[in-house]
Amino acid sequence: MSPASTPAPGAPAAAVTRAEYCVIACAEAWRDNGEVLASPMGPIPSIGARLAQRTFSPDLLLTDGEAMLVGLDGTPEGWLPYRRHLAMVTGGRRHVMMGASQLDRFGNQNISCVGDWSRPTRQLLGVRGAPVNTLNNPTSYWVPRHSPRVFVERVDMVCGVGYDRAAAAGPSATRFHRIPRVVSDLGVFDFATSDHSMRLASLHPGVTVEQVREATGFELSVPDEVPRTREPTPEELRLIREVIDPGGARDREVRS
Amino acid sequence: MSDKTMTTDEVVSRLHSGMTLGIGGWGSRRKPMALVRALLRTKITDLTVVSYGGPDVGLLAAAGRIHRLVTAFTTLDSIPLEPHYRAARERGAFELTEVDEAMFMWGLHAAANRLPFLPVRAGLGSDVMRVNPGLRTVTSPYADASSGVREELVAMPALRLDAALVHMNRADRLGNGQYLGPDPYFDDLFCEAADAAYVSCERVVDTAELTKEAAPQTLLLKRSSVTGVVETPNGAHFTSCAPDHGRDEPFQELYATTPYAEFAARFLAGDEQAYQSAVRAWHKEQR
């Protein structure tokens, strides 16, 4: 790290960036999860999961991104090749934070393709493990650029199963189904409404309700009082900036 | 006991158009690329390809060899979206059976265990059921002790394969296959789910050498489920084959940004040896 980026002792730390609020919001997804595998996809969820493990959720399990479970310093503590990872999914001892190319008000997620599935205008990744994830372990989502193209009225292909679709599919689908939260660069969202439709749970500092509404392609439930995403503690800021992400990967994903 | 070693050309001479072909590895990792390249040198087409897709799918799709693809995704890992696969999908070049990663795995398990299907929770509520109208559900014959509910689950059909292609770090002449990297992927299942399985490897070694320095659990493939063994050093190129070699990222970037016809003309016109030397020549140019 260059000396210029380290404030002199006693000097005020640089202001908290939007990316850092996103890290905190992602980390909070794994609070009180216990001894489960945190599966973050994307830079900011990865930083968030490691922050959670270093601070308030020390029992979390993390991987090296390949086939090993590793401790904070990278020491291997377990073997988790894909086939065992899939068993961990279905056994439920995992909380994944996936990305979403499209997401609707009931939490249905699409990463497969845009347009008609039989002849898509844009082919994306494919359903991957979204169907198995959503029916078996808590599945949260991370959207680095909140826009009406992502937050849509209807997704083109339901990969991750939302609350309405799980309910329609019956007890086997709802038995272990849970979407704890959605984090975007604008705020945090949950499904704590009577019909499990998406609700604004907190706004990142500097963001207005109007901004969120404009960037969302469906009617969002907004409570009268919307809290702010919490501030990081000085120790959390230090961990993010100096230990977990000194290279600033978070700022490349979400710009201030 | 029979010596199962053969050449890549002998392998593809046993394949034919219309086959259901399983390809091991995962994304852009330990793909049997030398065998895929050999396949591209033939006229074989109309394939049903079953794969956790990477550049194997991209190449075969671009070359128009796929009639139907069975997959959960197609990716180059460090390049998230496979451009040749995307282009082929967007022009409607082949049919797709899109299932979830776990459904795919249980389909292979069912085939390996000679079962018609296996029950999975995955798929319910998702559009995997819509785009695969042939998928059926089964009701558990057993009621849940606490709720009394008899669960309805997806009956994932067996993914039985006419042939499987996989790439290992080591193998012996009898067909025992060894992986030395961190992840077996599902290569043993591909072989067990197939009527014939062809294993390419970095090096063919004596049986005794397999366990000289490596633990016995690295012996992934049993010779009873392997039909042929091919020594193809660097045969997974440009995908990764840890610990023998990592992914050739610059070359993968070239593959992803070059029109298929141009890429094929420069790298796929000759045999495997010609491919490997064309790759070396390209790398030399980059210095």
Side-chain angles (χ1 to χ4, degrees), chain A residues 98-101 109-113 124-128 130 157 159:
Chain A
M98 297 190 79
S101 304
Q109 170 249 30
N110 176 21
I111 47 172
S112 170
C113 65
L124 305 172
L125 196 55
V127 293
R128 280 217 79 147
M157 166 88 180
C159 305

Side-chain angles (χ1 to χ4, degrees), chain A residues 66 79 81-83 112 117 119 122-123 125-129 131-132 135 156-158 165 172 175, chain B residues 26 29 72-74 86 89-92 96 98-101 121 125 127 130 151-152 182-183 185 188:
Chain A
E66 295 276 338
W79 183 50
Y82 284 113
R83 59 181 70 192
S112 170
W117 178 88
R119 181 82 185 262
R122 278 198 302 136
Q123 174 64 41
L125 196 55
V127 293
R128 280 217 79 147
V132 72
L135 261 54
D156 291 336
M157 166 88 180
V158 175
R165 295 283 296 244
S172 294
R175 189 172 175 191
Chain B
W26 173 284
R29 307 173 199 204
F73 59 80
T74 301
R86 293 187 79 186
R89 257 290 272 166
E90 288 166 14
R91 66 174 183 266
L96 179 64
E98 185 170 6
V99 294
D100 160 274
E101 285 170 14
R121 194 181 304 281
D127 274 341
R130 171 174 66 90
E151 287 204 57
E152 188 191 22
D183 202 315
Y185 308 122
D188 48 336

Side-chain angles (χ1 to χ4, degrees), chain B residues 25-279:
Chain B
W26 173 284
S28 192
R29 307 173 199 204
R30 220 179 64 226
K31 283 286 174 181
M33 297 298 283
L35 294 178
V36 171
R37 287 187 283 267
L39 188 54
L40 287 168
R41 290 195 295 272
T42 70
K43 298 264 182 259
I44 295 169
T45 189
D46 199 30
L47 293 167
T48 293
V49 172
V50 180
S51 173
Y52 286 111
D56 52 331
V57 168
L59 284 166
L60 292 169
R65 308 302 182 88
I66 303 180
H67 164 69
R68 175 176 291 278
L69 175 68
V70 181
T71 196
F73 59 80
T74 301
T75 180
L76 297 172
D77 295 347
S78 54
I79 299 171
L81 303 179
E82 218 293 352
H84 301 297
Y85 163 71
R86 293 187 79 186
R89 257 290 272 166
E90 288 166 14
R91 66 174 183 266
F94 53 85
E95 291 174 29
L96 179 64
T97 296
E98 185 170 6
V99 294
D100 160 274
E101 285 170 14
M103 295 172 75
F104 188 112
M105 176 183 78
W106 288 112
L108 290 179
H109 267 292
N113 287 278
R114 298 191 295 187
L115 291 169
F117 72 91
L118 277 168
V120 293
R121 194 181 304 281
L124 293 171
S126 78
D127 274 341
V128 162
M129 304 305 284
R130 171 174 66 90
V131 302
N132 295 288
L135 274 178
R136 295 287 175 266
T137 60
V138 284
T139 302
S140 171
Y142 308 109
D144 181 76
S146 53
S147 66
V149 169
R150 289 170 59 209
E151 287 204 57
E152 188 191 22
L153 300 162
V154 174
M156 178 62 201
L159 291 173
R160 191 70 205 171
L161 311 169
D162 294 317
L165 308 178
V166 303
H167 187 77
M168 291 283 114
N169 298 98
R170 307 282 178 271
D172 67 11
R173 294 172 170 278
L174 307 174
N176 296 300
Q178 180 176 45
Y179 80 110
L180 297 170
D183 202 315
Y185 308 122
F186 300 89
D187 289 359
D188 48 336
L189 277 176
F190 275 97
C191 294
E192 290 164 11
D195 294 340
Y198 302 97
V199 181
S200 61
C201 65
E202 292 295 305
R203 214 145 48 80
V204 171
V205 298
D206 288 338
T207 306
E209 207 181 307
L210 291 171
T211 47
K212 222 158 132 188
E213 280 165 15
Q217 57 269 37
T218 58
L219 296 172
L220 188 64
L221 310 182
K222 290 174 287 296
R223 59 184 168 83
S224 55
S225 58
V226 170
T227 312
V229 176
V230 192
E231 189 175 64
T232 59
N234 212 28
H237 185 269
F238 47 86
T239 71
S240 66
C241 187
D244 289 309
H245 61 81
R247 184 179 303 126
D248 186 342
E249 296 287 358
F251 191 85
Q252 174 163 286
E253 179 71 31
L254 173 79
Y255 161 79
T257 52
T258 307
Y260 176 73
E262 195 181 312
F263 180 86
R266 173 154 188 193
F267 296 101
L268 304 176
D271 60 9
E272 179 67 11
Q273 220 178 344
Y275 170 81
Q276 297 287 352
S277 55
V279 170

